[in-house]
Amino acid sequence: MIGYAFMGAAHSMAWRNVHRAFELPVAPEMSLLVGRDAEKVAAAARRLGWAQTSTSWRDAVERPDVDVVDICTPGDSHAEIALAALAAGKHVLCEKPLANSLAEAEQMAAAAAEARGAAMVGFTYRRVPALSLARRMIADGELGTIRHVRAAYLQDWIVDPEFPLVWRLQAEHAGSGALGDIGAHIADLAQFLTGQRISAVSALTRTFVPERPLPDDAAGLGATPGSGRGPVTVDDAALFLARFDGGAVGTFEATRFATGRKNALRIEVNGSDGSLAFDLEALNELWYYDGRRPAAGEGFRRLLVTEPEHPYLEGWWPPGHSLGYDHAFTHQMRDFLLAVAGAGRAEPDFAAGLQVQRVLDAVQRSATDGTWRAVPTSDRVAATAG
Amino acid sequence: MIGYAFMGAAHSMAWRNVHRAFELPVAPEMSLLVGRDAEKVAAAARRLGWAQTSTSWRDAVERPDVDVVDICTPGDSHAEIALAALAAGKHVLCEKPLANSLAEAEQMAAAAAEARGAAMVGFTYRRVPALSLARRMIADGELGTIRHVRAAYLQDWIVDPEFPLVWRLQAEHAGSGALGDIGAHIADLAQFLTGQRISAVSALTRTFVPERPLPDDAAGLGATPGSGRGPVTVDDAALFLARFDGGAVGTFEATRFATGRKNALRIEVNGSDGSLAFDLEALNELWYYDGRRPAAGEGFRRLLVTEPEHPYLEGWWPPGHSLGYDHAFTHQMRDFLLAVAGAGRAEPDFAAGLQVQRVLDAVQRSATDGTWRAVPTSDRVAATAG
Amino acid sequence: MIGYAFMGAAHSMAWRNVHRAFELPVAPEMSLLVGRDAEKVAAAARRLGWAQTSTSWRDAVERPDVDVVDICTPGDSHAEIALAALAAGKHVLCEKPLANSLAEAEQMAAAAAEARGAAMVGFTYRRVPALSLARRMIADGELGTIRHVRAAYLQDWIVDPEFPLVWRLQAEHAGSGALGDIGAHIADLAQFLTGQRISAVSALTRTFVPERPLPDDAAGLGATPGSGRGPVTVDDAALFLARFDGGAVGTFEATRFATGRKNALRIEVNGSDGSLAFDLEALNELWYYDGRRPAAGEGFRRLLVTEPEHPYLEGWWPPGHSLGYDHAFTHQMRDFLLAVAGAGRAEPDFAAGLQVQRVLDAVQRSATDGTWRAVPTSDRVAATAG
Amino acid sequence: MIGYAFMGAAHSMAWRNVHRAFELPVAPEMSLLVGRDAEKVAAAARRLGWAQTSTSWRDAVERPDVDVVDICTPGDSHAEIALAALAAGKHVLCEKPLANSLAEAEQMAAAAAEARGAAMVGFTYRRVPALSLARRMIADGELGTIRHVRAAYLQDWIVDPEFPLVWRLQAEHAGSGALGDIGAHIADLAQFLTGQRISAVSALTRTFVPERPLPDDAAGLGATPGSGRGPVTVDDAALFLARFDGGAVGTFEATRFATGRKNALRIEVNGSDGSLAFDLEALNELWYYDGRRPAAGEGFRRLLVTEPEHPYLEGWWPPGHSLGYDHAFTHQMRDFLLAVAGAGRAEPDFAAGLQVQRVLDAVQRSATDGTWRAVPTSDRVAATAG
């Protein structure tokens, strides 16, 4: 595993527990943790339970005793590491967004298509049981023809203008702001859930606070510590309308300025036969309306997604006993290990990651010039990539 | 109509609108408002839309041009007025609780049983559409055998120990405190919804603030103005367990000390085949769980009780357009007028009011001596009363 | 009052009750109801409580014994009637949207600016107490600088493709579909609440079901009864992004295809210091987050907008006793009557109605050609109109 | 660890992760798993990650390489194992309820008081962060004087009369039914949160389904497989009223017959200055009402208990990222290990477990004879035990 911050901790917990919760043909060994600073990576390995450490990701991805490379670094290093790991024949799990640019993402998807190893991108929320169930219900036709998606990912951690200019607010490291960090999730989920592709977007982005104090460790950000303030070079919020190739339409919003909303990924889907609604702040619940029943006896039902028949619940507790944010990572590792063992497909694959990247790219272009932008289909892209 | 405070205003609104919202064989005429103070009653009549006024309820209930007597006074005068009105052959609508004592209530029920006119007690909440619908669903067997009732009526308007000693806090006027004022509602609703009678109770009552400042107009309360404080002679809270004659069990709580709960009448009923839950603070909603369906696809549904098929909704707005507290009074007047016109039964009748009174009486006795108390059945009472 | 369908019934209830709930310098007299069909209007007048009837709105608006003209007809007749009534010196209350075209709306606003009488447009939801309170809080600065608006008005009454082609689905009568009927409300509320104007929009509209069965009384729709199906000539759904002149951004969605959402007007506003959220399906609640408090002790609070200090609550019931949809109409009549009596301003006035019309017009143009459209400011328009 | 069913799996996960999430002076080693069946315990150890296995708990608790004994067996073996382990000088964590009888619990508490090792009883829910926060707020006086507790623990897993007669439905193994299994939790929490002891109770219990099919492995239940049905010898539901020694009053209900409620542990506390409400089905939320603020600006706030300042959150994710049921076990292990290391107290200790046992005992006695039952104070018991 490369990187050991927030994502690294979440992934470690998943690696630690996945084969305890689920029956698997293979069991992971937490062998090697990689980071730039030898001391820090050693401390992290002790805490998170990794056997060895390294400061060279290049060495790491080529070691013969490494089968799986788990990339938990910021987006600006995803492409380089993933390409090297795939070239070395490793199985690769890469955090989202797949890359910081469309060009990189295309290269990665092309490489993955040729690679021996499994390649998966970390759109973890697909494995929140309520969202997996939502996908299953829509795929089974329970919502009929899908007409509407309304998706928002709302956070508020930078409303304070004195919040410092961390790497997530710098374009060279993060690629984009709310758009790539959290907008990527709703773009992915909307397509995953509906089974439709976003085909065109009209967007606007906004940076409400254009300058922020430099953080104490600003060296890592390419700025002199103590020099005061620096420019925010990413969006604080991104909003877009979308057309889907299956006829649905949608509104999307990703923002870090929704005061009071801590991690509110909300998505509602309306079809001709029913509707589903979800909020990540209450992630064990899926709200379902069955439009085929008489309205007088029907209302949105709060499905508590903790029944044994629900996705991934066979690994956990009795009905009504909640899961949390980190369980979705364990589910992701389960499915990734099944793919590694040849017992399943790695999904979302890098092509799916690329497709989201194209949506983000179209959003940025649309926000720049104010026009609707088509999102190229995967087929055209695959052709290009080939 | 006798009395013109809170209840008088709510009833006036209902009398004003009932025949505009519903098709009725008779239309009410708001002819005469009665109160003790000539000036105040005149002002109230102008505001609420009553044609004439009187300061004598005795004259009023005997006037030949009066067909219906609507009693909105405190509980200590219900019996006297209702008995006179029934004796004069009038139709009587009496606010709840039916009376301040069991003896009075028995007399009233006996008189009503013999009377020519219709007699109804104002347990208005039965006509909140969500609760009428709940009754219909349970009566139709959709919940199977009823096992549990959990009912609470929570308010907080006297948490402040400096809140004055108004008539509702004095036993001689109000009979009891939270118990008779709001506990009466949940006792009635629990029996109405389940179709089972409360057969025995174990109770405790509590007066958290035993003394309060006398109000400015304390003369009306039998105390000298400005004399400082007086004793609270009613319960602030009443809690009881109940056994029902149909095998269900229940918890009940009525309190004016639930800080932050403004008017939270909550009732949940669990049966072998399903459950219903309701909260008066969100009165357009009824939550329903269908236990006959597979658990993986079921959850509590929020029925928005605003569909045309729902009780009383034929008089109002399109789906999703909410009703409020006062609409239930209009529904009550609709059904009362239908009974007056011979096109329906006056329910809840005085016998039902008496049955609730018996529950309240058993609660008070149980709270006093700490024993379980049986609630006499109506049949025995009817025999006694006869 | 002209027209007596859904809006006519709601307005009648408000006229009937307004001076009973509120102290007013003037009291309304429900003198004359106008409709095209003599028999039907007579029946409606009996039911709704109007003293006389007429089949000529032209006569009606010129009668010397008429002071106030209340226009409850479909949008295609608003301009003609309102202009005549204003010319006759009457006070005019006109249902929304102000008109079916921008040209008409401009004419109406110009006429109102010159008229003696008060002129108000019926954006009733401004007077839902929770929304009036929201406006007050934002105007008082409690939310700081407003950054985000997310507004949706979701209904589902035409999801069924066999629902007939009623007048609301025909452009010549309704002007537009979801956009003008319910989108107008959220456009108005977003501006009312934030105090900012929508300055530019990017939109898409969609008609999911292009053809529908003709209704039985299709004569009134300009089609031969029984001839089968006709084209839906309005939008089923309208989505737009908006920039506000004060720096906020917003997503808007109006649809009649949100299966299970009956009347879900939802609006959330995020500011630098706090947030507010509202849903018309639970209209007594306003959710408030105070961003100035430490996050560990703060969360969205469910304000139950039934306290005596809340807007319009002085006319109603004790805390926790809910109001419904129709109470907002009574509040509207209260304020309109105060304006008529010279004791207040008629708001929203026709200029505000025109401003919303300009937003709707920009939305339609943007949806047609896929470009961002600026919304002209009132000043330019006023200049034009002058 | 002894036992490896539901509780064993939850404890194993906690032992596996506790030192990864939290900085601790000691790290657990998962050395020995004990069960009756050699094959099954070996499979469980492989699955859950225990190094060795044993079929003799007696050997296990005396092994010198064992420091901590974690008892996850049914209640009928708690006393014997815990007494042996304490006698052997081990630290003991014992699942709740402490024992199946009051006599056993008294013995255990007395032994623990004399023991060298730490002794803790597994009332895990105290460590759900929202409930830990609730305790902190009440202890800090934010609710003022506590007046009301209303607690219910609602499940529905045996509503079906064909659900088999598992050990939890047999008195000789489980001691009691809903009462000891889930009622114990609310009895503990009510006292933990308020800091007041339950001093007297009036109760009723009910067994709705008196006979059930024997399970396939009924041998373990002391019945012949295939013999058909056997008697349910525990309560399906237990309801009680309680008086607290600090002046509060409460309603309590534990049931397995609340159709649709999967794991709804609900507790609300009302004080003179504020209120708190919690539901385990939404365990990241704590609802708080501050009664010291003006009512017009206050409502129940949904505290999302995921901020870094909240209890135990320093070990987990950023704000808004939910925790689940199992995280509370990890928190319990954290605090138990701190106690083991001498860096904290083992709470709830066996005396606290005994106190809950006394409440349960009083409930059963009250339910049997219908009288109010006093709950002896710990002091009297300690005297007895001494």
Side-chain angles (χ1 to χ4, degrees):
Chain A
M1 187 171 81
I2 305 164
Y4 50 81
F6 172 25
M7 277 304 106
H11 283 229
S12 295
M13 184 160 176
W15 289 124
R16 201 183 301 130
N17 291 293
V18 60
H19 52 306
R20 306 308 184 185
F22 297 98
E23 303 278 355
L24 291 173
V26 291
E29 221 175 295
M30 295 172 70
S31 56
L32 184 63
L33 184 67
V34 184
R36 280 176 300 192
D37 180 310
E39 219 167 298
K40 285 185 185 165
V41 73
R46 269 193 306 278
R47 186 161 46 81
L48 300 176
W50 293 85
Q52 307 168 50
T53 62
S54 164
T55 57
S56 164
W57 65 259
R58 285 191 192 280
D59 292 355
V61 303
E62 299 197 344
R63 277 174 60 156
D65 60 338
V66 164
D67 297 311
V68 165
V69 176
D70 181 2
I71 306 173
C72 291
T73 58
D76 54 351
S77 53
H78 286 183
E80 200 177 12
I81 302 175
L83 291 171
L86 288 172
K90 308 303 186 192
H91 304 287
V92 176
L93 174 63
C94 181
E95 258 307 315
K96 45 60 50 186
L98 189 57
N100 276 3
S101 76
L102 189 51
E104 285 176 345
E106 281 172 351
Q107 225 185 324
M108 292 166 78
E114 303 298 317
R116 270 177 326 190
M120 188 189 269
V121 61
F123 285 116
T124 323
Y125 293 142
R126 290 188 179 200
R127 266 101 183 181
V128 170
L131 290 171
S132 306
L133 176 63
R135 170 59 193 149
R136 186 204 286 173
M137 292 171 71
I138 293 173
D140 287 353
E142 297 210 38
L143 264 61
T145 307
I146 303 305
R147 261 77 180 255
H148 284 292
V149 173
R150 79 191 53 83
Y153 201 150
L154 310 177
Q155 298 184 338
D156 74 349
W157 53 281
I158 58 172
V159 168
D160 181 354
E162 296 306 308
F163 187 92
L165 188 63
V166 298
W167 72 263
R168 284 181 190 271
L169 306 186
Q170 302 201 332
E172 67 268 35
H173 295 294
S176 65
L179 178 61
D181 186 23
I182 53 180
H185 277 300
I186 48 177
D188 179 62
L189 283 174
Q191 299 181 109
F192 167 65
L193 291 177
T194 60
Q196 297 187 18
R197 294 262 183 72
I198 293 174
S199 56
V201 297
S202 174
L204 75 81
T205 57
R206 192 58 67 97
T207 303
F208 296 112
V209 173
E211 242 189 21
R212 290 182 175 275
L214 294 171
D216 293 344
D217 64 343
L221 298 170
T224 320
S227 76
R229 289 174 180 261
V232 175
T233 48
V234 300
D235 58 280
D236 286 337
L239 291 67
F240 59 101
L241 303 179
R243 295 198 183 93
F244 289 77
D245 63 3
V249 293
T251 59
F252 290 79
E253 183 179 9
T255 180
R256 294 161 168 168
F257 273 75
T259 304
R261 301 299 178 191
K262 300 303 171 187
N263 201 31
L265 187 171
R266 298 168 178 187
I267 190 159
E268 177 166 334
V269 179
N270 306 126
S272 56
D273 284 343
S275 293
L276 289 170
F278 173 83
D279 183 343
L280 187 62
E281 287 186 358
L283 64 78
N284 294 279
E285 300 173 14
L286 180 66
W287 292 82
Y288 169 51
Y289 184 94
D290 185 348
R292 296 162 301 191
R293 294 171 48 90
E298 187 59 3
F300 273 84
R301 292 175 218 178
R302 175 185 178 251
L303 304 183
L304 205 52
V305 188
T306 56
E307 295 291 320
E309 297 83 2
H310 289 148
Y312 304 106
L313 264 293
E314 77 274 17
W316 303 110
W317 321 118
H321 292 70
S322 305
L323 300 187
Y325 167 75
D326 47 65
H327 294 81
F329 286 87
T330 305
H331 306 161
Q332 179 175 269
M333 294 318 174
R334 170 190 176 278
D335 292 345
F336 182 63
L337 287 176
L338 287 173
V340 163
R345 294 199 50 220
E347 294 204 18
D349 61 15
F350 279 17
L354 169 59
Q355 160 68 15
V356 170
Q357 211 74 28
R358 282 186 187 125
V359 173
L360 303 184
D361 185 69
V363 166
Q364 282 187 305
R365 288 174 196 272
S366 172
T368 303
D369 69 6
T371 63
W372 277 86
R373 286 282 178 171
V375 180
T377 69
S378 278
D379 301 336
R380 277 174 54 195
V381 165
T384 307
Chain B
M1 187 171 82
I2 304 164
Y4 50 82
F6 172 25
M7 276 306 105
H11 283 229
S12 294
M13 184 161 175
W15 289 123
R16 201 184 301 132
N17 291 292
V18 60
H19 51 305
R20 306 309 184 182
F22 297 99
E23 303 277 355
L24 291 173
V26 290
E29 220 175 296
M30 295 173 70
S31 56
L32 183 63
L33 184 66
V34 183
R36 279 176 303 193
D37 180 311
E39 219 167 297
K40 286 185 185 166
V41 73
R46 268 192 307 276
R47 186 162 47 82
L48 300 175
W50 294 85
Q52 306 169 49
T53 63
S54 163
T55 56
S56 164
W57 65 259
R58 286 190 189 279
D59 290 356
V61 302
E62 300 198 342
R63 277 172 59 154
D65 59 340
V66 164
D67 297 310
V68 166
V69 175
D70 180 3
I71 306 173
C72 292
T73 57
D76 55 350
S77 53
H78 287 183
E80 200 177 11
I81 302 175
L83 291 170
L86 287 171
K90 308 303 184 192
H91 304 287
V92 176
L93 173 62
C94 181
E95 257 309 315
K96 45 60 48 186
L98 189 57
N100 277 3
S101 77
L102 190 51
E104 284 176 346
E106 281 172 351
Q107 225 183 327
M108 291 165 79
E114 304 296 317
R116 270 176 325 189
M120 188 190 269
V121 61
F123 286 115
T124 322
Y125 293 141
R126 292 188 178 199
R127 265 101 183 181
V128 170
L131 290 170
S132 306
L133 175 62
R135 171 58 194 148
R136 187 206 285 174
M137 291 172 71
I138 293 172
D140 287 352
E142 297 211 37
L143 264 61
T145 307
I146 303 304
R147 260 78 180 255
H148 284 292
V149 173
R150 74 192 56 83
Y153 200 150
L154 310 177
Q155 297 184 338
D156 75 350
W157 54 279
I158 59 172
V159 170
D160 180 356
E162 297 306 308
F163 186 93
L165 189 63
V166 296
W167 72 262
R168 285 181 189 270
L169 306 185
Q170 302 201 330
E172 67 266 36
H173 295 293
S176 64
L179 178 62
D181 186 21
I182 54 180
H185 277 298
I186 49 178
D188 178 62
L189 283 175
Q191 300 181 107
F192 167 65
L193 291 177
T194 61
Q196 296 186 19
R197 295 262 183 71
I198 293 174
S199 56
V201 296
S202 174
L204 75 80
T205 56
R206 191 61 64 97
T207 303
F208 296 111
V209 174
E211 241 189 24
R212 292 182 175 274
L214 295 172
D216 293 344
D217 64 342
L221 298 169
T224 320
S227 76
R229 290 173 180 264
V232 174
T233 48
V234 299
D235 58 280
D236 287 336
L239 290 68
F240 58 102
L241 303 179
R243 293 199 184 94
F244 290 76
D245 61 5
V249 293
T251 58
F252 290 79
E253 182 179 10
T255 179
R256 293 160 170 169
F257 273 74
T259 305
R261 303 299 178 191
K262 299 304 169 185
N263 201 30
L265 186 171
R266 298 167 177 188
I267 190 159
E268 177 166 334
V269 179
N270 306 126
S272 56
D273 285 342
S275 293
L276 288 171
F278 173 83
D279 182 344
L280 187 63
E281 287 187 359
L283 64 79
N284 294 278
E285 300 173 14
L286 181 65
W287 293 81
Y288 169 50
Y289 184 93
D290 185 348
R292 297 162 300 191
R293 295 171 48 91
E298 187 60 2
F300 274 84
R301 295 175 215 179
R302 174 184 177 251
L303 304 183
L304 205 52
V305 189
T306 56
E307 295 291 320
E309 296 83 2
H310 289 147
Y312 303 107
L313 264 292
E314 78 273 17
W316 303 109
W317 321 117
H321 291 70
S322 306
L323 301 187
Y325 167 76
D326 47 64
H327 294 81
F329 286 87
T330 306
H331 306 162
Q332 177 175 270
M333 294 320 174
R334 171 189 175 276
D335 292 343
F336 182 62
L337 287 177
L338 286 173
V340 164
R345 293 199 50 219
E347 293 206 17
D349 62 14
F350 279 18
L354 169 59
Q355 161 66 15
V356 171
Q357 210 74 28
R358 281 183 188 129
V359 173
L360 303 183
D361 185 69
V363 166
Q364 282 187 306
R365 288 174 195 273
S366 172
T368 302
D369 69 6
T371 63
W372 277 86
R373 286 283 178 169
V375 180
T377 68
S378 278
D379 302 335
R380 279 174 53 196
V381 166
T384 308
Chain C
M1 188 171 81
I2 305 165
Y4 50 82
F6 172 24
M7 277 305 106
H11 282 230
S12 295
M13 183 161 176
W15 289 123
R16 200 184 301 131
N17 290 294
V18 60
H19 53 304
R20 306 307 184 186
F22 298 99
E23 303 277 353
L24 291 173
V26 291
E29 221 175 297
M30 294 171 71
S31 56
L32 183 63
L33 184 67
V34 183
R36 280 176 299 192
D37 179 311
E39 219 166 296
K40 286 186 185 165
V41 73
R46 270 193 306 277
R47 169 77 173 279
L48 300 176
W50 294 86
Q52 306 169 49
T53 62
S54 164
T55 56
S56 163
W57 65 258
R58 285 191 191 280
D59 290 356
V61 302
E62 297 196 344
R63 276 174 60 157
D65 60 339
V66 163
D67 297 310
V68 166
V69 175
D70 181 2
I71 307 173
C72 291
T73 57
D76 55 350
S77 54
H78 287 183
E80 200 177 11
I81 302 175
L83 290 171
L86 287 172
K90 307 304 185 192
H91 304 287
V92 175
L93 174 62
C94 181
E95 258 308 315
K96 44 59 54 184
L98 190 56
N100 277 4
S101 77
L102 189 51
E104 284 176 345
E106 281 172 351
Q107 224 184 326
M108 291 165 80
E114 304 296 317
R116 268 176 326 188
M120 189 189 269
V121 60
F123 285 116
T124 324
Y125 292 141
R126 291 188 179 200
R127 265 101 183 180
V128 170
L131 290 171
S132 306
L133 176 62
R135 170 58 193 150
R136 187 206 285 173
M137 291 172 71
I138 292 173
D140 287 353
E142 297 211 39
L143 263 60
T145 307
I146 303 305
R147 260 79 180 252
H148 284 293
V149 173
R150 79 190 54 83
Y153 201 150
L154 310 177
Q155 297 183 338
D156 74 349
W157 52 282
I158 57 172
V159 168
D160 181 354
E162 296 306 308
F163 187 93
L165 188 63
V166 297
W167 71 263
R168 285 182 189 271
L169 306 185
Q170 302 201 332
E172 68 266 36
H173 294 295
S176 64
L179 178 62
D181 185 22
I182 55 181
H185 277 300
I186 48 178
D188 179 63
L189 283 175
Q191 301 181 108
F192 167 66
L193 292 177
T194 61
Q196 296 186 18
R197 295 260 184 74
I198 293 174
S199 56
V201 297
S202 174
L204 76 79
T205 56
R206 192 60 65 97
T207 303
F208 295 111
V209 174
E211 241 187 24
R212 290 181 176 275
L214 294 171
D216 294 343
D217 63 342
L221 298 169
T224 321
S227 76
R229 289 173 180 263
V232 175
T233 47
V234 300
D235 58 281
D236 286 337
L239 291 67
F240 58 102
L241 302 179
R243 294 200 183 92
F244 290 77
D245 62 3
V249 293
T251 58
F252 290 79
E253 183 180 8
T255 180
R256 293 162 170 167
F257 273 74
T259 305
R261 303 298 178 191
K262 300 303 171 187
N263 201 31
L265 187 170
R266 297 167 176 188
I267 190 158
E268 176 165 336
V269 179
N270 305 127
S272 56
D273 285 343
S275 292
L276 289 171
F278 172 83
D279 183 344
L280 186 63
E281 286 187 358
L283 64 79
N284 294 279
E285 301 174 13
L286 181 66
W287 292 82
Y288 170 51
Y289 185 94
D290 185 348
R292 297 163 300 191
R293 296 172 47 91
E298 188 60 1
F300 274 83
R301 293 175 217 178
R302 175 184 177 251
L303 304 183
L304 206 52
V305 189
T306 55
E307 295 291 319
E309 298 83 2
H310 289 149
Y312 303 108
L313 264 292
E314 78 273 17
W316 303 111
W317 321 116
H321 292 68
S322 305
L323 301 187
Y325 167 75
D326 47 64
H327 294 81
F329 286 87
T330 306
H331 306 161
Q332 178 175 269
M333 294 319 174
R334 171 191 175 275
D335 292 344
F336 182 63
L337 287 177
L338 286 173
V340 163
R345 295 200 49 222
E347 293 204 17
D349 61 14
F350 279 17
L354 169 58
Q355 160 67 16
V356 171
Q357 209 75 28
R358 281 185 188 128
V359 173
L360 303 184
D361 185 69
V363 166
Q364 283 187 305
R365 288 174 195 272
S366 172
T368 303
D369 69 6
T371 64
W372 277 86
R373 287 283 178 170
V375 180
T377 69
S378 278
D379 301 335
R380 277 173 54 193
V381 166
T384 307
Chain D
M1 187 170 83
I2 305 164
Y4 49 83
F6 172 25
M7 277 304 106
H11 282 230
S12 294
M13 184 162 176
W15 288 123
R16 200 184 301 132
N17 291 293
V18 60
H19 52 304
R20 307 307 185 184
F22 297 98
E23 303 276 357
L24 291 174
V26 291
E29 220 175 297
M30 294 171 70
S31 55
L32 184 62
L33 185 66
V34 183
R36 280 176 301 192
D37 180 311
E39 219 167 298
K40 285 187 185 164
V41 74
R46 270 193 306 278
R47 168 77 174 280
L48 300 176
W50 293 85
Q52 306 168 51
T53 62
S54 164
T55 56
S56 163
W57 65 258
R58 284 192 190 278
D59 292 355
V61 303
E62 298 198 344
R63 276 173 60 155
D65 60 339
V66 164
D67 297 311
V68 165
V69 175
D70 181 3
I71 306 173
C72 291
T73 57
D76 54 350
S77 54
H78 286 184
E80 201 176 13
I81 302 175
L83 290 170
L86 287 172
K90 308 303 185 192
H91 304 287
V92 177
L93 174 62
C94 180
E95 258 308 315
K96 46 58 52 184
L98 190 56
N100 276 3
S101 76
L102 189 51
E104 285 176 344
E106 281 172 351
Q107 226 183 325
M108 292 165 79
E114 303 297 318
R116 271 176 324 190
M120 188 189 269
V121 61
F123 286 116
T124 323
Y125 293 141
R126 290 188 179 200
R127 266 100 182 181
V128 171
L131 290 171
S132 306
L133 175 62
R135 170 59 193 149
R136 187 205 285 174
M137 291 172 71
I138 293 173
D140 287 353
E142 297 210 39
L143 263 60
T145 306
I146 303 304
R147 260 78 179 254
H148 284 291
V149 173
R150 78 191 53 85
Y153 201 150
L154 310 178
Q155 298 183 339
D156 74 350
W157 54 280
I158 57 171
V159 169
D160 181 355
E162 296 306 307
F163 186 92
L165 189 64
V166 297
W167 72 262
R168 285 181 189 272
L169 307 185
Q170 302 201 330
E172 67 267 36
H173 295 293
S176 64
L179 178 61
D181 185 23
I182 55 180
H185 277 299
I186 49 178
D188 178 63
L189 283 175
Q191 298 181 111
F192 167 65
L193 291 177
T194 61
Q196 295 186 20
R197 296 262 184 71
I198 293 173
S199 56
V201 297
S202 174
L204 74 82
T205 57
R206 190 62 63 97
T207 304
F208 295 111
V209 173
E211 241 188 23
R212 289 181 177 274
L214 294 172
D216 293 344
D217 64 342
L221 298 168
T224 318
S227 77
R229 292 175 177 262
V232 175
T233 48
V234 299
D235 59 279
D236 288 334
L239 291 67
F240 59 101
L241 303 179
R243 294 198 183 93
F244 290 78
D245 62 4
V249 294
T251 58
F252 290 79
E253 184 180 9
T255 180
R256 294 161 169 168
F257 273 74
T259 304
R261 302 299 179 191
K262 301 303 171 185
N263 201 31
L265 187 171
R266 298 168 178 187
I267 190 160
E268 176 165 335
V269 179
N270 306 126
S272 57
D273 285 342
S275 293
L276 288 170
F278 172 83
D279 183 344
L280 186 63
E281 286 187 358
L283 63 79
N284 294 278
E285 301 173 14
L286 181 65
W287 293 82
Y288 170 51
Y289 185 94
D290 185 349
R292 297 161 300 192
R293 297 171 47 91
E298 188 60 1
F300 274 83
R301 293 174 218 181
R302 176 186 177 249
L303 303 183
L304 205 52
V305 189
T306 56
E307 295 292 320
E309 297 83 2
H310 290 148
Y312 304 105
L313 265 292
E314 76 275 16
W316 303 110
W317 320 117
H321 292 69
S322 304
L323 300 187
Y325 168 74
D326 48 64
H327 294 81
F329 286 87
T330 306
H331 306 161
Q332 179 175 269
M333 294 319 173
R334 172 191 175 274
D335 292 345
F336 182 62
L337 287 176
L338 287 173
V340 163
R345 295 199 51 220
E347 295 205 14
D349 61 14
F350 279 18
L354 169 59
Q355 160 66 17
V356 171
Q357 211 74 29
R358 281 182 188 129
V359 173
L360 304 184
D361 185 71
V363 166
Q364 283 187 304
R365 288 174 195 273
S366 172
T368 303
D369 70 6
T371 63
W372 277 86
R373 285 283 178 170
V375 180
T377 69
S378 278
D379 302 335
R380 277 174 54 195
V381 166
T384 307

